[in-house]
Amino acid sequence: MLIVMNSDAEQGEIEGVVRAVESLGCRAHVMSGASRTAVGVTGNEEAIDSGPFATLPGVAEAIRVTKPFKLTSLDARPEPTIVDVGGAKIGGGSLAIIAGPCAVESHEQAFAVAEAVQRSGAQFFRGGAFKPRTSPYSFAGLGEEGLKILAEVREKFGLRMVTEALDESTVDLVEKYADMIQIGSRNMQNFTLLRRAGRSHLPVLLKRGMAATLEEWLLAAEYVMSEGNYQIVLCERGVRTFSQHARNTLDLAAIPAMRRISHLPLIIDAAHGTGHNYMVGPLARAGVAAGADGVMIEVHPRPESALSDGEQTLTLEEYERLVQQLRTIHAAIA
Ligand code: PEP
Ligand code: MN
């Protein structure tokens, strides 16, 4: 159920609704927006009678939610969510550039990339310390050492750190050193991880599962939100198809499709979405043109010797040129 408050509802009236929801043993999620506040209800096993809620002071209407996703939907919040990552914003009309190496490999490598990322005017640095690799014999990241390097990069360059957590214990570590928890494709339906991220004070970057429908993806976001963390950015990173010319098929149609159903910001990862250096620019440009709130880009001083994902990684020069183009496109469609 969704309880929509009058646009001039007072704080005390919102609190009254929260108490009424909690008295039923359910959880109340206060979704405040510029035009109005709504209170989402979760935790009920059966439908709740909306009648008594509709007559509470300050309530405009109490609606039964028939869609499988509740808190992520535009019904819960008609205006776009803006996610705050250590004071920098994603969503709401700005263009977020999240760039960095696939994996943090060394102090020197991370600092070289961070310098270019900062110079480009981007605010977010990505780098994996815990890498989910297809083969157990591949480089799996530096672990906590990698996070410590990220913390140094943050200190020196003032960039916000985005890094992947693989399980509940790595969320604890990411919380210690970084600004945003990335949940990767392979873990999009790792429900204990999603719930743990939902109890974090850090925002979450939720990548689309390799074969996930938009509904499954939003339900994964609901796991995070239902625990009380509403700060989620979705990341389209391509899905598996019969196509052989690219590692994945970047689903650009997901951008307008998601906009129609959810208030969450959505960014595009053209690196994992294509798997090829020469495809990253065209698809990232297309993503921005299609209305994405940002892009994720893999960058390395020497992609040919990167310990992971070198084939889809840009050089520092390629990266800087691309960012200029993305800004031009973004300005043109604003
Ligand atoms: C990554 O961002 O480095 C990554 C592993 O991505 P994905 O989860 O999309 O495969
Ligand atoms: Mn990668």
Side-chain angles (χ1 to χ4, degrees):
M1 186 171 55
L2 188 68
I3 302 153
V4 180
M5 306 299 297
N6 289 326
S7 54
D8 59 354
E10 287 166 18
Q11 191 54 31
E13 292 172 331
I14 298 170
E15 282 162 16
V17 168
V18 169
R19 275 196 303 276
V21 170
E22 288 173 351
S23 73
L24 296 177
C26 299
R27 185 160 185 161
H29 303 267
V30 178
M31 317 280 291
S32 310
S35 55
R36 52 113 159 128
T37 293
V39 181
V41 181
T42 62
N44 50 305
E45 271 154 30
E46 282 160 27
I48 301 172
D49 178 11
S50 60
F53 287 93
T55 55
L56 289 176
V59 172
E61 53 177 340
I63 314 163
R64 266 198 68 191
V65 180
T66 49
K67 293 192 187 88
F69 43 93
K70 304 176 192 302
L71 304 174
T72 55
S73 115
L74 278 179
D75 298 334
R77 190 185 154 83
E79 65 249 31
T81 282
I82 298 175
V83 171
D84 185 307
V85 184
K89 307 280 195 276
I90 303 182
S94 58
L95 180 69
I97 311 278
I98 304 176
C102 179
V104 177
E105 298 170 1
S106 67
H107 197 273
E108 180 217 0
Q109 172 241 25
F111 272 55
V113 178
E115 211 171 85
V117 171
Q118 189 195 46
R119 204 166 44 236
S120 74
Q123 291 180 289
F124 308 93
F125 184 88
R126 60 141 290 152
F130 302 99
K131 297 300 305 173
R133 302 306 301 276
T134 302
S135 163
Y137 310 118
S138 303
F139 174 64
L142 296 179
E144 191 168 359
E145 264 329 290
L147 293 180
K148 288 184 180 162
I149 294 174
L150 289 180
E152 286 178 47
V153 170
R154 172 166 62 179
E155 187 65 28
K156 166 119 204 263
F157 297 94
L159 298 164
R160 277 62 174 186
M161 298 299 124
V162 182
T163 195
E164 181 160 358
L166 296 180
D167 49 27
E168 291 179 86
S169 67
T170 49
V171 173
D172 296 343
L173 286 170
V174 168
E175 282 176 336
K176 222 167 125 186
Y177 297 101
D179 301 294
M180 186 175 214
I181 304 164
Q182 178 172 324
I183 295 184
S185 283
R186 292 154 189 81
N187 269 323
M188 191 206 80
Q189 286 188 316
N190 178 338
F191 301 118
T192 50
L193 174 61
L194 294 169
R195 285 198 195 278
R196 171 65 185 84
R199 294 190 296 274
S200 178
H201 64 282
L202 291 185
V204 173
L205 181 73
L206 180 61
K207 297 191 102 180
R208 182 180 182 180
M210 294 185 197
T213 62
L214 299 197
E215 187 173 309
E216 288 162 341
W217 191 10
L218 282 183
L219 286 172
E222 290 277 339
Y223 266 91
V224 177
M225 282 189 127
S226 64
E227 293 290 328
N229 187 349
Y230 312 121
Q231 295 279 287
I232 303 171
V233 175
L234 302 169
C235 177
E236 162 59 38
R237 49 77 73 203
V239 289
R240 272 289 165 85
T241 66
F242 53 81
S243 140
Q244 292 178 331
H245 56 272
R247 177 178 177 184
N248 292 296
T249 297
L250 191 69
D251 181 9
L252 292 176
I255 303 170
M258 202 47 115
R259 286 262 183 269
R260 280 202 154 190
I261 53 175
S262 178
H263 52 84
L264 294 175
L266 173 59
I267 67 159
I268 285 292
D269 171 359
H272 298 88
T274 63
H276 298 290
N277 166 294
Y278 76 95
M279 291 184 177
V280 171
L283 274 285
R285 292 192 292 268
V288 173
D293 294 293
V295 293
M296 172 178 273
I297 307 172
E298 289 191 328
V299 192
H300 195 288
R302 294 173 304 280
E304 66 287 354
S305 53
L307 297 181
S308 62
D309 285 348
E311 266 191 39
Q312 63 193 35
T313 295
L314 302 189
T315 63
L316 305 183
E317 297 71 32
E318 287 168 340
Y319 161 73
E320 289 185 69
R321 168 136 183 73
L322 177 59
V323 171
Q324 285 172 8
Q325 295 170 335
L326 297 179
R327 291 199 195 289
T328 305
I329 294 168
H330 184 249
I333 61 164

